[in-house]
Amino acid sequence: MRRKTRAVHVKNRTIGGDAPVSIQSMTNRPARDFAGTIEQIQSLVAAGCEIVRIAVPDTETAAVFSRAREAGITVPLVADIHFDYRIALEAVRHGADKIRINPGNIGSPDRVRAVADACRNAGVPIRIGVNGGSLEKSLLEKYGGPTAEALAESALCQAEMLENMGFHDIVISIKSSRVDTMIHACRKVAAQSDYPLHLGVTEAGTEYSGIIKNAMGIGALLCDGIGDTIRVTLTADPAAEVRAAKEILAAAEVRKNGISIISCPTCGRTKIDLIAITEAYREAISCIDTGDKTITAAIMGCAVNGPGEAREADFGVAGGDGCAILFRHGEKVRRIDEDKLLEVLMEETRRMLENCTI
Ligand code: SF4
């Protein structure tokens, strides 16, 4: 069962409460390149990103938010701020929809209060972003390092500081490059508060290993019912983060929309180029908007075991020798040539999603 959390509104999207777990990513163009950043926001949205974060290293760059709005961007935009509270104030003034800070590195309580007041007046929530690299010295000494206990304590203390300033629209993230630390720290905060949690494994590495680490950390928590928004952090094109996030949410069965692919691992019975066909189909469906519909397609190597093993699929193909069988819900429909496989898979997909945009 999903953990009950307070609902925090970020422009036209809600984090926590009953809202679906949302997908976030971050632009990586220099934010001063306003046109390039806006273009990247648009491509992230096209890939399925629902909240976009932008690093704001100085007050001049904060204008990226008003420029994005002028360009017609409607997705919620988050300002990522470190150290200088004046940048946060400027970002709010320019229309940022959420501020991500680590109050511990913003400076004196007066400065944190100035950010909290500006956010409250603008109806903008704050994400407290804690990670091992920016943990308070006192906690590092108390716990002997950036342990799960230290990270959780830091996040809850910072949240308490904001609450004492009358600020309550708080989201918490606790990130670590260590999967077990991130999981245990998030579980601790989840057990002691109702703050919505933003999940992610930070500095997770390149695409392949990074997806594995994030799937482990985010996936374990989602299966516990913990997590309200996610960002898969990869040393890769941010669009890859969005694709991975969608797969993690689908695998954890917390988001029901989309096209799920069942494909067999191949074996000595496989006589079609199943790996290439599956990859081509995955690529072809990557930009399909399924609305709130969910379908499952199967691509199996042989007719001996394929239709049976993929019985739960809405439709699928099972390979033969230079050909395949099309089946729907485990029942054989007709024989098709191998070179028509992708075409038939797409036809079946369209048939299932009649009213969706392909
Ligand atoms: S579906 Fe057929 S080809 Fe694929 S792994 Fe199973 S037995 Fe092998």
Side-chain angles (χ1 to χ4, degrees):
M1 203 171 71
R2 189 163 168 204
R3 168 181 169 252
K4 289 209 177 313
T5 56
R6 68 179 72 174
V8 171
H9 303 289
V10 188
K11 191 176 164 64
N12 50 9
R13 193 158 283 279
T14 302
I15 299 177
D18 295 324
V21 179
S22 51
I23 296 171
Q24 305 203 21
S25 185
M26 195 166 177
T27 59
N28 61 0
R29 303 264 177 93
R32 277 204 183 198
D33 171 9
F34 292 154
T37 298
I38 289 165
E39 188 187 322
Q40 193 172 33
I41 294 168
Q42 287 163 331
S43 64
L44 283 170
V45 170
C49 187
E50 296 162 324
I51 299 173
V52 179
R53 182 157 48 117
I54 304 168
V56 191
D58 51 52
T59 50
E60 290 75 31
T61 306
V64 71
F65 298 99
S66 44
R67 294 285 286 269
R69 293 299 169 225
E70 285 160 20
I73 300 280
T74 57
V75 72
L77 299 175
V78 183
D80 190 85
I81 312 288
H82 283 280
F83 305 117
D84 189 342
Y85 79 108
R86 292 167 300 185
I87 307 174
L89 301 183
E90 201 60 6
V92 172
R93 195 174 75 76
H94 278 285
D97 302 302
K98 187 168 107 184
I99 299 293
R100 183 269 174 173
I101 54 170
N102 180 341
N105 69 27
I106 284 294
S108 68
D110 282 354
R111 293 176 175 186
V112 177
R113 186 184 295 276
V115 176
D117 288 348
C119 287
R120 189 189 314 100
N121 292 337
V124 167
I126 293 176
R127 167 159 69 94
I128 295 171
V130 171
N131 61 50
S134 60
L135 205 57
E136 297 93 316
K137 202 162 165 248
S138 58
L139 288 172
L140 285 172
E141 285 167 3
K142 177 177 173 184
Y143 290 99
T147 62
E149 290 75 13
L151 291 163
E153 186 171 323
S154 173
L156 290 170
C157 285
Q158 294 185 27
E160 191 180 356
M161 185 201 309
L162 289 178
E163 296 272 3
N164 289 339
M165 292 173 178
F167 191 88
H168 312 292
D169 288 335
I170 299 166
V171 176
I172 285 181
S173 69
I174 299 185
K175 297 191 182 179
S176 169
S177 54
R178 288 195 53 167
V179 175
D180 60 341
T181 302
M182 169 266 190
I183 292 173
H184 290 122
C186 288
R187 282 182 180 152
K188 281 181 182 301
V189 170
Q192 293 175 55
S193 74
D194 73 342
Y195 297 117
L197 287 181
H198 165 127
L199 307 181
V201 176
T202 195
E203 292 128 23
T206 52
E207 190 164 347
Y208 184 76
S209 59
I211 287 175
I212 291 172
K213 285 185 193 172
N214 274 280
M216 286 177 66
I218 295 172
L221 290 162
L222 289 175
C223 290
D224 281 352
I226 296 171
D228 302 281
T229 183
I230 69 171
R231 187 223 173 166
V232 174
T233 305
L234 301 175
T235 308
D237 179 350
E241 299 185 348
V242 178
R243 287 194 294 273
K246 287 162 119 175
E247 293 285 344
I248 291 169
L249 293 178
E253 298 192 17
V254 296
R255 287 282 290 260
K256 296 291 183 193
N257 56 335
I259 302 170
S260 174
I261 302 176
I262 295 175
S263 57
C264 81
T266 73
C267 73
R269 294 186 189 87
T270 317
K271 291 187 176 138
I272 57 171
D273 191 356
L274 188 126
I275 296 171
I277 290 161
T278 307
E279 194 49 48
Y281 178 64
R282 190 199 62 75
E283 183 63 34
I285 62 172
S286 63
C287 289
I288 294 179
D289 176 6
T290 66
D292 58 1
K293 289 191 177 180
T294 305
I295 61 168
T296 302
I299 306 175
M300 308 297 282
C302 74
V304 177
N305 293 329
E309 288 178 13
R311 197 171 288 114
E312 69 267 38
D314 295 296
F315 66 92
V317 292
D321 193 356
C323 64
I325 289 165
L326 171 67
F327 59 90
R328 293 184 191 133
H329 301 288
E331 299 296 324
K332 180 178 167 182
V333 177
R334 63 186 160 91
R335 180 186 177 282
I336 46 181
D337 292 335
E338 182 176 357
D339 62 358
K340 294 278 188 294
L341 270 175
L342 183 59
E343 198 179 304
V344 171
L345 284 165
M346 292 308 291
E347 275 170 19
E348 286 295 305
T349 306
R350 286 191 184 91
R351 206 175 61 78
M352 293 277 166
L353 298 171
E354 280 168 29
N355 300 320
C356 297
T357 312
I358 296 186

